[in-house]
């Protein structure tokens, strides 16, 4: 969910003074990505950045050094397999003949330089996000981000279990729910359903990172923890973190993850990429994709706050 921008210009203070960097970052947030903007004032620093970090887009003044210009800069970083979209800008009368892919050039007018540059930067961001909205990329993003949410929830459970009494109560509730669900699908007339789950003899800290402790079970555990926190009337934790419900998390995160993981993609008669799922065909428009990212970002922020809460207790 991170969107990384490299901006290269020796007039950094000038752009910061008009808060242009903040406007660009806010534009990225409006698309439900977390912006990370690195501002370099010379080519040397910029080349160090691209050697250690992947960027989604690069903005750069074409006249960026005494000994190097934009042509030298982009040639050098392309040799290092940096394939990000690049926007060069300058007050030059004519754009240079770069002859390289994924390069745009904006000639600045003194009367509207800031506005023109902001508009072009936003259009470049739109271009790169359109590629990220491709269903293949969306599926990969959801798989990765939901896995990250799983890990964060498990860490919250782990911290909560530092209190032995809380752990004991929570362990009993969760294992009983697992046993109840497991026995509910047993059909053999020979089974008396008196069996107990092997996790009954392990503490919750041991089993929370077990592969069998699936996403829904983890979310159910977190929901129970939040109910306990709410009953204690904690004033330290932001109230938005206490709005977590199992039903919403399942429908907004887990169900979407499962649908995208177990489906087949094809191009429909209208030329749009479509998913064939167990429940039928599903197409995703930009609003659907924004909603998925919005929910992932919401829960990521919520879980970060919960982790901070337990670390501060």
């Amino acid at each position: 969910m991170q969107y990384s921008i490299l901006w290269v210009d020796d007039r950094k203070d000038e752009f910061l003074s008009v808060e242009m960097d903040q406007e660009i970052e806010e534009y990225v947030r409006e698309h439900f990505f977390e912006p990370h903007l690195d501002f370099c004032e010379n080519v040397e620093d910029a080349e160090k950045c691209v050697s250690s970090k992947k960027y989604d887009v690069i903005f750069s003044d074409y006249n960026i050094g005494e000994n190097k210009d934009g042509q030298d800069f982009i040639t050098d970083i392309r040799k290092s397999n940096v394939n990000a979209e690049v926007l060069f800008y300058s007050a030059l009368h004519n754009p240079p003949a770069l002859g390289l892919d994924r390069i745009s050039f904006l000639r600045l007018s003194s009367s509207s330089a800031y506005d023109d540059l902001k508009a072009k930067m936003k259009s470049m961001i739109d271009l790169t996000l359109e590629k990220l909205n491709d269903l293949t990329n969306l599926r990969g993003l959801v798989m990765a981000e939901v896995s990250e949410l799983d890990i964060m929830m498990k860490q919250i459970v782990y911290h909560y279990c530092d209190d032995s009494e809380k752990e004991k109560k929570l362990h009993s509730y969760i294992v009983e729910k697992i046993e109840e669900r497991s026995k509910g699908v047993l059909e053999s007339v020979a089974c008396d359903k008196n069996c107990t789950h092997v996790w009954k003899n392990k503490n919750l800290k041991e089993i929370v990172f077990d592969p069998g402790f699936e996403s829904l079970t983890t979310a159910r555990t977190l929901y129970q923890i939040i109910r306990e926190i709410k009953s204690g009337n904690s004033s330290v934790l932001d109230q938005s973190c206490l709005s977590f419900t199992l039903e919403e998390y399942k429908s907004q995160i887990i169900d979407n993850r499962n649908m995208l993981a177990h489906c087949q993609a094809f191009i429909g008669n209208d030329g749009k990429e479509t998913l064939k799922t167990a429940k039928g065909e599903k197409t995703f428009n930009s609003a659907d994709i924004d909603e998925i990212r919005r929910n992932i970002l919401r829960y990521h922020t919520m879980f970060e706050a919960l982790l901070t809460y337990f670390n501060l207790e």
Side-chain angles (χ1 to χ4, degrees):
M1 298 297 291
Q2 294 184 2
Y3 187 90
S4 297
I5 300 169
L6 175 62
W7 191 346
V8 190
D9 198 310
D10 59 6
R11 295 172 298 161
K12 176 180 177 179
D13 291 341
E14 179 182 330
F15 289 111
L16 296 185
S17 68
V18 295
E19 300 182 344
M20 194 164 159
D21 58 320
Q22 295 181 31
E23 183 170 342
I24 294 301
E25 289 177 332
E26 184 56 33
Y27 188 73
V28 172
R29 289 192 186 93
E30 289 173 1
H31 290 78
F32 308 106
F33 281 91
E34 185 61 34
H36 288 258
L37 192 157
D38 294 325
F39 211 137
C40 296
E41 297 183 87
N42 56 67
V43 176
E44 291 73 25
D45 288 345
E47 290 181 343
K48 289 178 183 177
C49 284
V50 297
S51 68
S52 60
K53 183 174 179 179
K54 183 177 180 180
Y55 290 94
D56 295 288
V57 69
I58 298 172
F59 303 139
S60 177
D61 179 13
Y62 188 75
N63 307 301
I64 49 177
E66 295 181 1
N67 300 317
K68 286 187 177 184
D69 59 16
Q71 175 79 50
D72 299 316
F73 173 54
I74 193 61
T75 300
D76 288 345
I77 65 172
R78 286 289 193 251
K79 288 179 181 178
S80 301
N81 296 316
V82 177
N83 296 313
E85 295 283 345
V86 178
L87 168 64
F88 283 119
Y89 54 88
S90 176
L92 292 174
H93 292 294
N94 296 301
L98 294 173
L100 295 170
D101 292 334
R102 296 178 299 282
I103 303 294
S104 297
F105 187 90
L106 175 66
R107 183 168 63 87
L108 298 176
S109 168
S110 58
S111 61
S112 59
Y114 286 141
D115 290 339
D116 291 347
L117 183 54
K118 283 189 290 186
K120 186 62 176 178
M121 285 178 167
K122 290 176 181 179
S123 71
M124 291 292 292
I125 292 171
D126 289 340
L127 173 66
T128 56
L129 291 183
E130 183 178 339
K131 295 178 180 179
L132 291 175
N133 283 347
D134 172 84
L135 270 181
T136 300
N137 289 325
L138 174 66
R139 293 170 76 180
L141 179 144
V142 171
M143 299 305 111
E145 292 298 331
V146 175
S147 293
E148 177 69 17
L149 291 177
D150 278 351
I151 293 173
M152 295 177 78
M153 286 194 295
K154 289 174 184 289
Q155 290 173 334
I156 293 167
V157 176
Y158 191 89
H159 283 296
Y160 184 83
C161 292
D162 284 343
D163 185 304
S164 59
E165 287 302 315
K166 289 180 179 178
E167 190 275 341
K168 183 178 179 181
K169 183 178 178 180
L170 185 61
H171 177 276
S172 177
Y173 168 79
I174 292 302
V175 175
E176 284 176 7
K177 285 291 183 182
I178 294 170
E179 286 182 349
E180 182 181 304
R181 194 173 67 203
S182 299
K183 291 176 181 180
V185 297
L186 296 175
E187 296 180 349
S188 172
V189 294
C191 179
D192 60 10
K193 296 188 179 181
N194 287 326
C195 50
T196 60
H197 201 288
V198 294
W199 283 351
K200 226 174 181 62
N201 298 318
K202 294 184 178 181
N203 64 53
L204 203 51
K205 275 195 169 185
E206 290 178 303
I207 65 177
V208 66
F209 286 101
D210 189 291
F213 203 69
E214 59 186 18
S215 295
L216 185 58
T217 305
T218 309
R220 187 186 302 278
T221 308
L222 178 60
Y223 177 60
Q224 188 65 16
I225 289 174
I226 289 176
R227 289 182 63 187
E228 291 294 326
I229 295 174
K230 289 169 72 173
S231 67
N233 296 318
S234 173
S235 59
V236 178
L237 191 59
D238 190 290
Q239 292 303 301
S240 64
C241 296
L242 304 179
S243 63
F244 181 92
T245 68
L246 184 60
E247 293 78 11
E248 278 193 347
Y249 189 79
K250 180 180 181 300
S251 64
Q252 294 173 348
I253 300 296
I254 297 176
D255 288 350
N256 273 324
R257 189 274 309 276
N258 291 344
M259 177 182 62
L260 290 167
H262 305 290
C263 62
Q264 181 181 8
F266 67 96
I267 303 298
N269 294 330
D270 57 359
K272 294 181 179 179
E273 194 170 10
T274 302
L275 294 181
K276 183 178 290 184
T277 73
K279 295 182 179 180
E281 296 179 2
K282 168 70 177 175
T283 58
F284 288 86
N285 57 36
S286 59
D288 295 327
I289 295 171
D290 278 353
E291 183 66 18
I292 289 173
R293 286 203 299 261
R294 187 205 320 269
N295 288 328
I296 290 175
L297 194 57
R298 172 197 169 199
Y299 287 110
H300 197 281
T301 302
M302 182 187 297
F303 296 167
E304 280 187 333
L306 284 164
L307 283 169
T308 300
Y309 168 76
F310 282 112
N311 286 331
L312 293 176
E313 267 198 319

